[in-house]
Amino acid sequence: MRKVPAPPPRRSEDRRGWLRGAPPPRWVRALPPVLIVAICAATLISHDPLDIGFLLGAIPPLAVLSYSPLATALLGGAVVALLNIPAFQLDRPGNTDLLTIVFVSVLSVFVSFVRSRRDAQLDLERTVAEAAQRAVAPPLPERVGAVGCTGLYRAAQRGTLVGGDFFDVREGPFGTRAVMGDVQGHGLAAVATVASLLGAFREAVLDQPELVSVAARLDRRLLTDSADARHAELFATAALLEFSADAREVRVVVCGSPPPLLLRGASATELKVSPWTPLGLGLADAGAIEVSTFSLLPGDRLFLASDGVVEARDHRGAFYPLADRLAAFAAGQSAALAERVWADLVRFSAAVDDDVTMLVLTPSPSPAR
């Protein structure tokens, strides 16, 4: 079972923005040298002296945004040197206060030093946070037992990898089981609940013979966590699936979550399941939960999406038509299906302000089986 490494985030995918901690864009770094060249060129081309020496005073503060303290000091020294070169005619008294430029340059070096130390600390904290969050939600294997897996997660809170949604696919002695859920709230505040539920699911996969018992274990976990925390009312919606060994049958339990969609050929239909209450409200009689069983054909795929997908709205208030869009994308590869839906969702809704999770499960027994 080979793990698919998570790709490093591309600059275009860094949702923080450069004013929120991401590296500044290239044009910000290019501003100081471009401004120096432009001022020097303008003074050399002009036949008359230009009173533009004051513009050089902006170069050290601009360097603070993206340059190291040493580079900022060098740019400040270059500015002072330019003010004393007669050929540029920038050294006339009254045009530029040399002492002010020197003071601004020294102050900029100090600010650059403080910024670089802060950036290093933030990078370290972000690295630790990413490691902790990936420990909670590790990359999904491309195949678990007889089921091919593709997952997509976009946390609502900027700069985070996990939030209030979760999914996992595990193989155990009772079959291949999958879960997708959404806990109360989103962002970092929900990560502890997500970690607790995922731990309970992974344990239940190993020792619970019935799918309803897995749901009851998750429900008990939330009830226990709520009892230990004052004024906490934890609940979560979830969909649990269990595949047979030959991947020709799937059993489904839905606890307040949107039902899975079956992709068969060029059609996408919602599975008719018996809904149950969300987890954390107390499944007093787990035996009353009705497990829905469906037969699968070769080539079938199951698509699970969180509330962040089905409840996304456009500017007119219309909900995202997931089933219709899936039917249009059904001809594509499973590995790219979730990404295509995500790209379409971003175009459909101007602001996606909830965690977005998608899981594509492709039952396909290996030749060895």
Side-chain angles (χ1 to χ4, degrees), residues 144-195:
V144 178
V147 181
C149 310
T150 302
L152 180 141
Y153 198 118
R154 295 292 185 271
Q157 185 170 339
R158 291 178 179 270
T160 62
L161 300 177
V162 297
D165 288 0
F166 63 95
F167 61 77
D168 200 4
V169 184
R170 296 277 165 164
E171 186 178 20
F174 309 105
T176 300
R177 289 168 171 170
V179 64
M180 171 178 282
D182 182 3
V183 307
Q184 177 189 15
H186 55 75
L188 294 178
V191 173
T193 306
V194 167

Side-chain angles (χ1 to χ4, degrees), residues 261-316:
L261 291 131
L262 175 65
L263 278 70
R264 178 170 290 171
S267 66
T269 57
E270 188 176 277
L271 295 180
K272 303 299 181 182
V273 300
S274 300
W276 197 253
T277 58
L279 303 172
L281 302 182
L283 300 178
D285 184 7
I289 303 177
E290 183 177 345
V291 180
S292 301
T293 303
F294 302 92
S295 298
L296 299 174
L297 301 177
D300 284 353
R301 290 173 289 179
L302 293 170
F303 188 94
L304 292 85
S306 65
D307 293 340
V309 178
V310 297
E311 295 181 359
R313 297 172 180 261
D314 63 7
H315 64 281
R316 297 171 297 181

Side-chain angles (χ1 to χ4, degrees), residues 295-362:
S295 298
L296 299 174
L297 301 177
D300 284 353
R301 290 173 289 179
L302 293 170
F303 188 94
L304 292 85
S306 65
D307 293 340
V309 178
V310 297
E311 295 181 359
R313 297 172 180 261
D314 63 7
H315 64 281
R316 297 171 297 181
F319 289 107
Y320 181 69
L322 177 60
D324 295 339
R325 300 303 175 92
L326 276 179
F329 299 148
Q333 296 292 328
S334 297
L337 182 59
E339 289 287 353
R340 295 184 66 182
V341 174
W342 166 249
D344 186 60
L345 180 67
V346 172
R347 289 192 297 267
F348 178 86
S349 180
V352 180
D353 55 1
D354 196 4
D355 297 326
V356 169
T357 310
M358 292 175 247
L359 184 61
V360 185
L361 302 174
T362 308

Side-chain angles (χ1 to χ4, degrees), residues 36-72:
I36 289 177
V37 172
I39 293 173
C40 293
T43 56
L44 292 176
I45 293 174
S46 176
H47 297 289
D48 300 322
L50 299 178
D51 190 14
I52 58 174
F54 69 94
L55 294 177
L56 292 173
I59 292 176
L62 288 175
V64 170
L65 297 175
S66 56
Y67 284 87
S68 66
L70 178 59
T72 302

